[in-house]
Amino acid sequence: MSKHRVTLIPGDGIGVETSEAMRRVVDAAGADIQWEVAPAGAAVMEATGGSPLPESTIDSVRCNKVAIKGPITTPVGTGFRSVNVALRKTLDLYVCLRPVFSIPGAGGRYEDVDLVIVRENSEDLYAGIEFEKDSAAAARLIEFCNQEGAGAIRPDSGISIKPISVSGSDRIVRYAFDYAERLGRKKVTAVHKANIMKYSDGLFLDRARAIASEYSGRIGFDERIVDALCMNLVIDPGQFDVIVLPNLYGDIASDLCAGLVGGLGIAPGANIGSEYAVFEAVHGSAPDIAGKNLCNPTAEILSAAMMLDHLGEQEIANRIRAAVRKVYADGTYLTGDIRWATRSDKAGCSCTEFTDALIRAL
């Protein structure tokens, strides 16, 4: 019997291809994993009565405790809410963990980036508490705000609510400090807009300061307003080590950081809670190139390395990361997105060719 049983959610679009490439690499690296494939996405909605996230898939993750997923298409503005958000809420995956590091040959703007984004995953504007324009509920909320003197809201507004709690802030900031201490990191930076949003971001900042005091003398602490953070990341990302942010800012800053090192095609990620962990490439499903064998599976493969760390298989995880660095440094087999990022005049290789090269490098 396999040592580890893992739920594999291939997703849709290029997720099917990146997930298969990931599985080939993990198996070739010697990981003892039994994969339990579970569906999600638009393609399964008819069979599940309209849900893109079948209950059987959630049950699989609950049973196995660990999952890895490919990207899943989310409609913009209409249609179902994000499957990613649904998984995070259902399984209380309150941490979005995004390590960001330079890979020589990947076309990054910097050569020595090594930082970690710790994003709160369960509240803020992404909590999904919304009121549609012209709805009776929106009208009542607008009237309530007017009566309370909280500020005028135009009557033709759609409204989203931004909840930030003491408990939610405490656990994400504490996770960031514990992570820094466990991995030998030196500093945690808390990010906010408390100068404007005093009761939501202000609460987050107050709790970050309180938690930071418990680690005084062991882990450094500073704080940045979110717009200043973005500017300083571009000027000198070496200023930062572990960065902890509320949900929306974390989403934006993590993509910005991916851009510093070569793009989302090489950006791994994980969603972690007290019981369950779901690892994922953070890029989109790229339906325009799906099925063409053109996609870059690096992010999914590096996410699998994070998963192996979580499972206690650090040696295999490090072997995979070393193989990725070797293939990128060699430069012979790189997909088209990396050729573009490096401004190379060479044609990009296929997903299969890149994966084959990676397996040879293990």
Side-chain angles (χ1 to χ4, degrees):
M1 186 175 180
S2 293
K3 186 175 181 180
H4 306 291
R5 188 175 177 89
V6 172
T7 300
L8 171 58
I9 306 171
D12 53 32
I14 61 171
V16 177
E17 297 161 79
T18 60
S19 294
E20 179 57 27
M22 176 276 300
R23 179 157 60 170
R24 287 184 60 208
V25 170
V26 170
D27 290 347
D32 191 8
I33 290 178
Q34 182 178 348
W35 303 98
E36 183 175 300
V37 180
V44 304
M45 292 179 66
E46 184 175 346
T48 59
S51 171
L53 182 60
E55 193 64 34
S56 60
T57 296
I58 296 173
D59 289 343
S60 174
V61 181
R62 285 192 173 118
C63 178
N64 296 325
K65 307 293 187 184
V66 176
I68 185 165
K69 62 174 287 295
I72 296 173
T73 305
T74 301
V76 177
T78 60
F80 60 82
R81 289 188 184 274
S82 166
V83 168
N84 296 337
V85 172
L87 276 170
R88 293 166 193 164
K89 292 181 71 172
T90 302
L91 301 173
D92 195 23
L93 306 175
Y94 67 93
V95 179
C96 180
L97 187 65
R98 296 269 299 267
V100 182
F101 48 87
S102 297
I103 299 176
R109 276 26 178 194
Y110 302 86
E111 296 180 353
D112 56 354
V113 176
D114 182 15
L115 58 86
V116 181
I117 296 288
V118 179
R119 165 189 166 195
E120 203 287 321
N121 239 355
S122 67
E123 48 187 22
D124 194 2
L125 286 170
Y126 283 7
I129 305 170
E130 294 194 294
F131 300 87
E132 188 176 3
K133 177 184 73 72
D134 296 331
S135 68
R140 290 194 296 271
L141 184 56
I142 290 168
E143 180 59 24
F144 172 79
C145 291
N146 288 338
Q147 290 175 354
E148 292 294 313
I153 300 175
R154 294 188 178 94
D156 56 350
S157 296
I159 303 170
S160 297
I161 303 295
K162 178 187 170 89
I164 290 185
S165 67
V166 170
S167 55
S169 299
D170 280 4
R171 68 178 182 174
I172 194 64
V173 175
R174 193 176 300 282
Y175 182 93
F177 274 94
D178 287 345
Y179 178 92
E181 196 162 49
R182 189 169 69 251
L183 272 74
R185 298 273 177 169
K186 303 301 183 185
K187 182 178 69 173
V188 173
T189 299
V191 179
H192 63 91
K193 192 70 175 174
N195 56 326
I196 304 298
M197 286 169 281
K198 300 182 184 299
Y199 299 138
S200 52
D201 285 29
L203 184 152
F204 179 84
L205 179 58
D206 285 345
R207 296 313 305 160
R209 290 168 174 170
I211 298 298
S213 68
E214 300 177 19
Y215 296 81
S216 179
R218 296 166 13 228
I219 303 294
F221 173 71
D222 68 353
E223 53 195 60
R224 299 291 176 100
I225 294 174
V226 62
D227 39 333
L229 170 83
C230 293
M231 179 186 71
N232 279 281
L233 279 167
V234 172
I235 291 173
D236 178 15
Q239 301 173 66
F240 301 101
D241 194 351
V242 176
I243 307 174
V244 61
L245 314 91
N247 207 336
L248 177 61
Y249 306 150
D251 191 14
I252 295 168
S254 56
D255 278 20
L256 185 156
C257 288
L260 302 177
V261 298
L264 290 174
I266 62 172
N271 299 286
I272 299 170
S274 57
E275 290 189 70
Y276 312 107
V278 177
F279 298 83
E280 63 174 349
V282 299
H283 57 70
S285 59
D288 56 319
I289 62 168
K292 298 180 180 179
N293 202 21
L294 297 174
C295 59
N296 183 356
T298 302
E300 190 83 7
I301 290 164
L302 291 175
S303 298
M306 293 179 68
M307 179 188 74
L308 291 165
D309 287 332
H310 180 79
L311 292 171
E313 302 286 359
Q314 284 86 4
E315 182 181 346
I316 298 174
N318 289 336
R319 192 182 310 148
I320 290 172
R321 283 187 281 259
V324 169
R325 291 183 180 277
K326 183 176 180 181
V327 170
Y328 272 82
D330 175 76
T332 303
Y333 296 100
L334 298 176
T335 52
D337 58 318
I338 302 300
R339 293 295 190 207
W340 178 86
T342 58
R343 295 171 173 80
S344 171
D345 57 0
K346 295 182 181 179
C349 72
S350 69
C351 176
T352 301
E353 289 170 326
F354 173 82
T355 306
D356 289 344
L358 201 55
I359 290 170
R360 290 193 295 270
L362 286 169

